[in-house]
Amino acid sequence: MALSLTTAFSHLSLPSTSKSHPLPLLHLRFPSSSSSRRAARLALAASAAEAAEPVEVEEAPAEDGADEVVAVEDELSGPALRKYVKQRLPGGFAAQRITATGRRKTAIARVVLQEGTGRVFINFRDAKEYLQGNPMWMEYCKVPLVTLGFENSYDVFVKVHGGGLSGQAQAICLGVARALVKISTANKVTLRGEGLLTRDTRIVERKKAGLKKARKRPQFSKR
């Protein structure tokens, strides 16, 4: 039986397996998940940039020129500010309709009120510059306006002389209060209740002969 099988398959020629030829290996690189996402994002960004069209931005028209006027007033200083105040007061202080006079110690202030935004001009200069930025003195000038709620309704123009800055500021306060009474007599009750219409009569007592000051005496020596 064994011989018959060997004789049956002897005439078949099978390829020899002594020399094997391996198949070439294919090196395939599959992109990682992170790199594929990055590539997809870049592609989407490029397509969006190509599809985007330039958008023209329309400037909104100015609602009112008041902001521009305030900005111009803030930039004025020196001769330009003096010219601006003169333009607002044609004919000078005496020719204006709403005027009043305030006094404190030896300071005398002539005050003019005009409709505006709440700015204060003293001797053709800005109040903050004239009063050296002192918040208390600047507050004196607007106390009557704030009391009535008119702090942003009127501009104050002042010509003041005599005394120091403290006395001048308090004189302006009295002048503004009296000018508001001229605008409407109904304001008198409120201002009178706050004591803003009362003239402060206190002044420095004069020096006496033989004394160092009003009452200060030289040291007494018995011998």
Side-chain angles (χ1 to χ4, degrees):
M1 186 69 181
L3 293 172
S4 62
L5 289 174
T6 55
T7 55
F9 291 102
S10 60
H11 65 279
L12 297 175
S13 60
L14 297 175
S16 62
T17 58
S18 61
K19 294 181 179 180
S20 61
H21 298 280
L23 295 175
L25 298 178
L26 298 177
H27 298 280
L28 300 178
R29 296 182 180 178
F30 297 96
S32 61
S33 59
S34 60
S35 60
S36 61
R37 293 174 185 171
R38 192 180 300 108
R41 291 175 185 170
L42 293 175
L44 290 174
S47 61
E50 292 176 358
E53 296 180 357
V55 180
E56 297 181 359
V57 180
E58 297 182 357
E59 295 182 358
E63 296 179 357
D64 191 8
D67 296 339
E68 297 180 0
V69 173
V70 172
V72 171
E73 292 178 4
D74 292 338
E75 295 176 358
L76 294 177
S77 61
L81 181 59
R82 186 182 186 90
K83 183 178 179 180
Y84 168 77
V85 173
K86 287 185 176 181
Q87 289 177 354
R88 293 284 301 273
L89 302 175
F93 280 75
Q96 305 308 312
R97 186 172 62 89
I98 306 174
T99 62
T101 303
R103 294 179 177 86
R104 174 73 173 98
K105 297 182 181 179
T106 58
I108 302 174
R110 299 180 65 186
V111 178
V112 172
L113 292 185
Q114 287 187 359
E115 292 185 358
T117 58
R119 298 201 64 190
V120 181
F121 302 95
I122 304 175
N123 290 350
F124 303 101
R125 295 165 62 185
D126 186 71
K128 185 175 182 180
E129 176 189 356
Y130 185 85
L131 298 175
Q132 302 177 359
N134 190 304
M136 184 175 64
W137 296 342
M138 293 173 62
E139 185 179 356
Y140 279 142
C141 301
K142 290 190 174 184
V143 167
L145 296 172
V146 173
T147 302
L148 298 175
F150 295 153
E151 60 271 15
N152 297 322
S153 302
Y154 292 96
D155 287 341
V156 182
F157 299 89
V158 183
K159 184 181 287 186
V160 63
H161 67 276
L165 294 179
S166 176
Q168 290 181 359
Q170 295 177 53
I172 293 171
C173 177
L174 179 60
V176 172
R178 289 177 173 177
L180 289 172
V181 173
K182 287 187 176 182
I183 293 176
S184 174
T185 55
N187 298 331
K188 186 173 184 179
V189 177
T190 305
L191 295 174
R192 178 70 69 183
E194 296 293 332
L196 298 174
L197 292 175
T198 303
R199 161 71 155 100
D200 192 347
T201 58
R202 296 175 298 173
I203 59 174
V204 178
E205 188 176 348
R206 65 174 292 273
K207 182 183 179 301
K208 309 308 188 296
L211 304 183
K212 292 187 174 182
K213 294 176 67 176
R215 301 189 181 188
K216 183 178 180 181
R217 297 175 178 274
Q219 184 177 6
F220 172 76
S221 178
K222 190 172 183 178
R223 294 181 181 84

